[in-house]
Amino acid sequence: MAVDYASALARVHELVRLYSAPNLSVATELCDSRPAEAIAYKVVSADMSSFDLTYGDLRKRSEQFAASLYELGVRPGDRVATLMGKSVEYLVSLMGIWRLGAVHVPIFTAFAPPAIAFRLSNSEAKIVICDESQQAKLVPGEDIPASAPWKVITTAPVDQMLLGALLFSAVIEASRPGFKAAALGGDAPVIQIFTSGTTGTPKGVAVPAKALAGFQTYAEYGLGLTKDDLYWCAADPGWAYGLYFGILGSFTTGVPSILLQANFDPATTFEVLSKFGVTNFTAAPTVYRSLRAYAGTVPPITKLRCASSAGEPLTPEVNEWAGGVLGVLVHDHFGQTEAGMLFNNHHHPDLACALKPGSMGIPLPGWSALVLKEFADEPAEIGELGRVAIELKDSPLAWFSGYLNDPVKSAEKFAGNGRWYLTGDAGRKDQDGYYFFSSRDDDVIIMAGYRIGPFEIESVIVTHPAVSECAIIAVPDLQRGEVLEAYVVLKAGETPSAERTKDIQSWVKVRYAAHAYPRAVHFVDALPKTASGKIQRFVLRQERRAQLAAAAAE
């Protein structure tokens, strides 16, 4: 594996100096320093019509918006939330927030009022900006207080129930361009984002401006973005990946990007890739699996140069399909809300390596990684399953210091008296330096002394020609401690049966290991997932253990 880390590390240190500067102005760096005529985004509608948003347009409108926010009482450091889909108003809002020196609080549009209220209250947001489709969620009721401490700005005609709400266009028109960009330096927060909270209360993470060094490093080396690319990140910016590496990946590099104003469907995705000549595309594995399952006519895709995946591990059947249809293989990447991207199958030629199925790649320059033993703060052996960690003293891109107002959870993220940052994921490193994700720490299965990562078994089962998706869990077993059980979604036209169960079990025995086959196979219509598409194994574990307990009590 021949990679040129030296030149990449030199670039990392250059970016760290830029974004850590005490006089850094985020809006100046991300917007005002670009040529006014340069394209920031190609905005595409569902009917495939499009127009270009230039940096000059973005600067003017965000100056007006920043001035209006100031008139509404927002000051540097105050929190301003967005409950918005992808739109020009969304981009203007973000740049206006950062121009003022305020802090952006992203809220995913699929959230219901309780989750929205939690984030607005916990962040102490002064303003929330929403789309028309989100207005009803902000109407006072069981979860939203009648005298909410935040003001509402909406991009569409104001719902009569939203008393006091302001119209976005009127807010813009109320102010003139020319608002001076704040220069608060690299330690000032630019984002307050919340972890997904699938196993507990969501935790607040303050993202400082200096974290942009890591975001741009990933854009350049992980994604391999170049000035000639047309970039499209299909991830929702209500989540870390879509915001950090979609929106900020575009703004930090100045590479023009696609902003699709339409809900996801495979036909539209293929049409955008083909019609607009996207050269660099990234999306969650669920998107690629949906594209793979699409039964319609696929238009020719001739300009795609790089394809990337993140959010959950990429299962191997995707690349069995991608080379022939997309013309390129999909590179799997791994990162976290608290850090940004950590491991990648990099596209940049200085770091490009052969893909290994199931591997999340090698560390991004600027991060020093290792695997720690499960029960001891010392490095694991090559190939040993352990805790994936980061050596902080050798990681110039590190910026996370703990969760907001949660010292207990913060302490759990570090080991060795602050020497190591713990990702909370189990994995292993092979003799060539590639890292392999196994599971979240609490998903690891111990069966008859064997430590088994569910992802490795899932990766085998999803290659079965009858299987669409799969999740592996552990259930208690008196003899073995734990045994594996599989939850399987079959492809359309396939029928559950005892024969199919035996076939899947045999598939695992032959292609992985005789001892690691699922002792039971449950055929289901769908798997429980987070709003961002990650499989929630813990939900399946809880449901299965409740079933077994009920059966034992009969």
Side-chain angles (χ1 to χ4, degrees):
M1 182 174 63
V3 297
D4 182 6
Y5 264 114
S7 61
L9 281 173
R11 177 60 173 160
V12 166
H13 288 293
E14 179 184 352
L15 291 172
V16 168
R17 286 192 296 271
L18 170 65
Y19 290 111
S20 298
N23 61 345
L24 173 74
S25 168
V26 172
T28 298
E29 187 61 40
L30 301 187
C31 178
D32 304 354
S33 63
R34 310 292 181 200
E37 69 280 4
I39 297 172
Y41 274 88
K42 183 174 288 294
V43 183
V44 180
S45 299
D47 64 1
M48 293 297 111
S49 61
S50 67
F51 66 90
D52 294 337
L53 174 70
T54 67
Y55 276 101
D57 295 334
L58 182 61
R59 176 174 183 171
K60 176 184 175 182
R61 296 183 66 182
S62 65
E63 286 176 346
Q64 292 176 275
F65 192 62
S68 291
L69 288 178
Y70 190 87
E71 290 300 316
L72 291 170
V74 180
R75 295 294 182 266
D78 286 343
R79 270 53 175 171
V80 178
T82 58
L83 183 60
M84 308 171 76
K86 297 178 182 179
S87 65
V88 171
E89 291 84 356
Y90 173 75
L91 297 174
V92 170
S93 296
L94 264 59
M95 198 58 68
I97 291 166
W98 295 327
R99 186 175 297 282
L100 175 56
V103 181
H104 171 226
V105 181
I107 303 179
F108 185 44
T109 54
F111 281 148
I116 294 168
F118 173 87
R119 286 158 174 79
L120 291 175
S121 298
N122 192 277
S123 67
E124 299 182 350
K126 284 196 170 183
I127 303 280
V128 55
I129 311 157
C130 73
D131 294 331
E132 182 175 19
S133 63
Q134 302 297 315
Q135 287 186 20
K137 298 177 183 179
L138 296 172
V139 171
E142 183 178 348
D143 302 295
I144 303 296
S147 55
W150 53 80
K151 295 183 176 73
V152 177
I153 299 174
T154 177
T155 62
V158 180
D159 187 307
Q160 62 180 356
M161 298 296 290
L162 276 176
L163 298 177
L166 304 172
L167 187 62
F168 188 92
S169 58
V171 169
I172 289 280
E173 292 166 4
S175 299
R176 295 176 178 272
F179 191 89
K180 184 178 180 181
L184 304 181
D187 289 329
V190 291
I191 296 166
Q192 181 172 332
I193 193 168
F194 290 83
T195 60
S196 57
T198 56
T199 57
T201 303
K203 300 175 289 293
V205 176
V207 183
K210 63 186 178 184
L212 298 176
F215 300 171
Q216 185 167 349
T217 299
Y218 170 67
E220 294 181 5
Y221 287 91
L223 298 174
L225 287 178
T226 70
K227 63 181 179 61
D228 297 321
D229 271 327
L230 177 60
Y231 173 48
W232 184 19
C233 175
D236 192 290
W239 295 101
Y241 191 86
L243 177 57
Y244 293 179
F245 311 114
I247 304 301
L248 286 166
S250 300
F251 286 152
T252 57
T253 60
V255 174
S257 297
I258 292 283
L259 188 79
L260 177 62
Q261 298 179 304
N263 293 328
F264 168 77
D265 74 77
T268 300
T269 302
F270 279 126
E271 189 172 2
V272 171
L273 290 170
S274 178
K275 178 176 180 178
F276 294 98
V278 174
T279 60
N280 200 309
F281 178 63
T282 184
T286 50
V287 168
Y288 288 106
R289 288 195 286 267
S290 296
L291 296 177
R292 176 176 175 263
Y294 178 61
T297 301
V298 177
I301 298 170
T302 59
K303 294 189 176 181
L304 191 61
R305 184 178 63 83
C306 298
S308 304
S309 173
E312 59 175 322
L314 186 72
T315 43
E317 84 283 1
V318 170
N319 273 335
E320 294 176 1
W321 158 86
V325 177
L326 299 180
V328 295
L329 296 180
V330 182
H331 289 215
D332 196 14
H333 301 164
F334 170 91
Q336 297 191 318
T337 300
E338 300 91 335
M341 301 309 287
L342 298 170
F343 301 92
N344 308 292
N345 289 287
H346 300 86
H347 286 286
H348 193 288
D350 286 352
L351 301 179
C353 303
L355 299 184
K356 285 191 177 186
S359 173
M360 56 193 183
I362 62 175
L364 179 71
W367 293 106
S368 177
L370 75 163
V371 177
L372 294 172
K373 290 182 177 293
E374 183 181 9
F375 299 112
D377 289 343
E378 58 185 66
E381 301 296 327
I382 293 297
E384 180 183 354
L385 193 63
R387 297 170 293 158
V388 179
I390 297 295
E391 181 89 50
L392 290 174
K393 69 180 178 64
D394 297 325
S395 298
L397 293 180
W399 52 266
F400 176 74
S401 59
Y403 299 111
L404 295 171
N405 306 314
D406 196 337
V408 174
K409 290 296 183 184
S410 297
E412 292 174 359
K413 294 297 291 182
F414 300 94
N417 294 319
R419 177 179 177 182
W420 294 297
Y421 166 77
L422 303 175
T423 65
D425 292 297
R428 59 183 174 85
K429 177 183 177 181
D430 74 5
Q431 70 277 5
D432 298 320
Y434 287 74
Y435 284 75
F436 292 79
F437 174 88
S438 176
S439 67
R440 295 295 299 173
D441 279 347
D442 54 4
D443 284 333
V444 173
I445 300 163
I446 303 176
M447 185 178 72
Y450 293 101
R451 290 176 52 77
I452 301 169
F455 176 66
E456 295 176 284
I457 314 301
E458 292 164 358
S459 294
V460 172
I461 293 177
V462 294
T463 63
H464 189 287
V467 174
S468 176
E469 288 189 298
C470 171
I472 292 288
I473 66 165
V475 297
D477 181 82
L478 291 176
Q479 182 178 357
R480 298 179 180 87
E482 292 180 321
V483 294
L484 282 69
E485 294 192 0
Y487 285 77
V488 171
V489 179
L490 294 174
K491 292 180 179 177
E494 298 290 344
T495 304
S497 66
E499 289 74 19
R500 179 62 73 203
T501 294
K502 292 179 181 178
D503 186 28
I504 290 172
Q505 291 171 327
S506 177
W507 189 268
V508 175
K509 292 177 183 178
V510 171
R511 288 165 175 79
Y512 183 70
H515 72 281
Y517 72 92
R519 264 53 181 186
V521 177
H522 308 279
F523 296 103
V524 295
D525 294 331
L527 299 174
K529 296 178 181 178
T530 66
S532 59
K534 298 179 182 179
I535 294 173
Q536 296 175 303
R537 296 188 189 93
F538 76 95
V539 172
L540 296 172
R541 282 200 303 271
Q542 292 171 352
E543 292 176 350
R544 182 60 174 149
R545 293 186 183 197
Q547 291 172 357
L548 293 172
E554 292 179 354

